[in-house]
């Protein structure tokens, strides 16, 4: 792929990913290559390459003879993603308590200023910034593979939350991000890990993963009550 095509693919990929994470493109929404290409002013080939990258990250799924769609993770998949995220982010905390890069806290504080600037204002943007905070933590470990895995799982969590989460305020997330930074700064691995665990548990708790399916008997009983009236 030429440098120009690669740059365009990166741009389309970034825009589509942002639209998915900010919940503008909803789970299950179709992503026609021609429509995306027309709106972004690029070829279908460029769009196809961008969609493949998003599919590799679990944000998009391809259906034979139907095209690409924003992914709709099952409840079981969602639970598995959150379980993996806890494991990965515990390792991120452990590493940062022992090897924060020289400009690490400056980068974290700069990101926190962005989060605080939209605190209580823009839900979709605050969701994206919250996810980027966790990706930044992973990036600061210097472990490129860990950063890659954390990035993928955080992006999937954002998609999952758009599908299953109840409405909520981002205020607590911003406050806990600040607490995590301070605990890492003093090298308190246990406290920073505990705060992260509490933080991720609270995020998962906002998602309704359990399925309360009524039996056909109970459904028909409710409607049958109308006959008795």
């Amino acid at each position: 792929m030429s440098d120009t095509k690669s740059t365009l693919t990166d741009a389309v990929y970034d825009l589509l990913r942002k639209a998915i994470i900010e919940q503008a493109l909803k789970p299950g929404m179709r992503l026609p290559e021609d429509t995306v290409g027309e709106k972004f002013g690029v070829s279908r080939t460029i769009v196809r390459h961008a969609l493949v990258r998003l599919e590799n990250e679990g944000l998009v799924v391809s259906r034979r003879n139907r095209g690409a769609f924003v992914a709709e993770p099952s409840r079981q998949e969602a639970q598995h993603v959150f379980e993996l995220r806890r494991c990965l982010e515990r390792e991120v905390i452990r590493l940062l308590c022992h090897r924060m890069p020289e400009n690490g806290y400056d980068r974290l504080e700069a990101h926190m200023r962005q989060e605080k600037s939209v605190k209580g204002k823009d839900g979709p943007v605050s969701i994206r910034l919250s996810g980027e905070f966790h990706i930044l933590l992973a990036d600061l470990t210097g472990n490129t593979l860990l950063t890659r895995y954390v990035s993928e799982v955080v992006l999937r969590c954002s998609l999952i939350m758009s599908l299953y989460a109840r409405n909520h305020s981002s205020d607590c997330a911003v406050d806990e991000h600040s607490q995590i930074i301070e605990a890492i700064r003093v090298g308190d691995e246990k406290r920073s890990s505990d705060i992260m665990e509490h933080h991720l548990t609270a995020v998962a708790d906002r998602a309704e993963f359990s399925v309360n399916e009524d039996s056909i008997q109970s459904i028909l009983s409710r409607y049958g009550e109308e006959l008795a009236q």
Side-chain angles (χ1 to χ4, degrees):
M1 187 184 296
S2 68
D3 291 343
T4 300
K5 285 186 176 180
S6 179
T7 300
L8 287 173
T9 298
D10 289 344
V12 173
Y13 160 80
D14 288 338
L15 289 171
L16 288 176
R17 184 177 69 165
K18 181 179 179 182
I20 293 171
I21 298 309
E22 292 190 353
Q23 302 179 7
L25 293 175
K26 305 291 186 183
M29 189 173 287
R30 187 165 177 265
L31 302 171
E33 291 177 4
D34 54 350
T35 301
V36 176
E38 179 184 346
K39 294 301 179 184
F40 289 166
V42 298
S43 69
R44 293 182 61 174
T45 301
I46 296 295
V47 175
R48 192 173 302 120
H49 285 304
L51 291 174
V52 167
R53 288 177 61 182
L54 291 167
E55 185 172 12
N56 289 337
E57 292 183 346
L59 298 181
V60 165
V61 295
S62 294
R63 297 173 183 165
R64 189 173 183 180
N65 299 325
R66 296 184 61 195
F69 295 78
V70 179
E72 296 179 276
S74 67
R75 284 178 167 82
Q76 183 179 52
E77 181 182 352
Q79 290 174 317
H80 292 169
V81 168
F82 272 98
E83 288 171 0
L84 176 59
R85 182 172 179 179
R86 288 190 180 94
C87 294
L88 291 174
E89 298 220 42
R90 277 198 298 270
E91 180 62 11
V92 168
I93 291 296
R94 187 188 71 80
L95 291 174
L96 289 180
C97 283
H98 292 89
R99 63 178 199 215
M100 176 69 75
E102 186 174 343
N103 67 341
Y105 293 112
D106 290 339
R107 292 175 63 187
L108 287 169
E109 292 297 343
H111 188 86
M112 286 302 304
R113 286 194 291 272
Q114 291 185 64
E115 287 199 76
K116 290 175 181 177
S117 70
V118 299
K119 186 176 178 180
K121 296 179 183 178
D122 192 329
V125 173
S126 67
I127 289 172
R128 174 173 57 81
L129 288 173
S130 179
E132 289 175 355
F133 170 81
H134 292 266
I135 295 171
L136 174 56
L137 285 177
D139 185 53
L140 291 173
T141 67
N143 186 319
T144 55
L145 277 177
L146 181 58
T147 303
R148 173 185 167 187
Y149 296 146
V150 169
S151 177
E152 181 175 330
V153 80
V154 167
L155 292 173
R156 289 198 187 197
C157 281
S158 296
L159 177 62
I160 288 164
M161 295 305 287
S162 72
L163 189 59
Y164 295 114
R166 302 182 294 272
N167 292 331
H168 65 279
S169 167
S170 62
D171 293 359
C172 292
V174 175
D175 293 340
E176 288 184 338
H177 287 176
S178 294
Q179 293 171 26
I180 290 169
I181 293 173
E182 292 311 308
I184 294 174
R185 193 190 300 272
V186 298
D188 192 334
E189 182 179 337
K190 183 180 186 308
R191 174 167 167 72
S192 53
S193 184
D194 287 347
I195 296 171
M196 179 65 80
E197 179 69 21
H198 178 272
H199 175 56
L200 295 180
T201 298
V203 173
D205 285 347
R206 289 195 291 268
E208 298 177 336
F209 295 145
S210 60
V211 182
N212 297 316
E213 294 183 348
D214 291 334
S215 66
I216 187 171
Q217 290 87 350
S218 63
I219 293 171
L220 295 180
S221 293
R222 289 201 303 272
Y223 282 87
E225 290 173 0
E226 297 180 14
L227 292 176
Q229 295 177 358

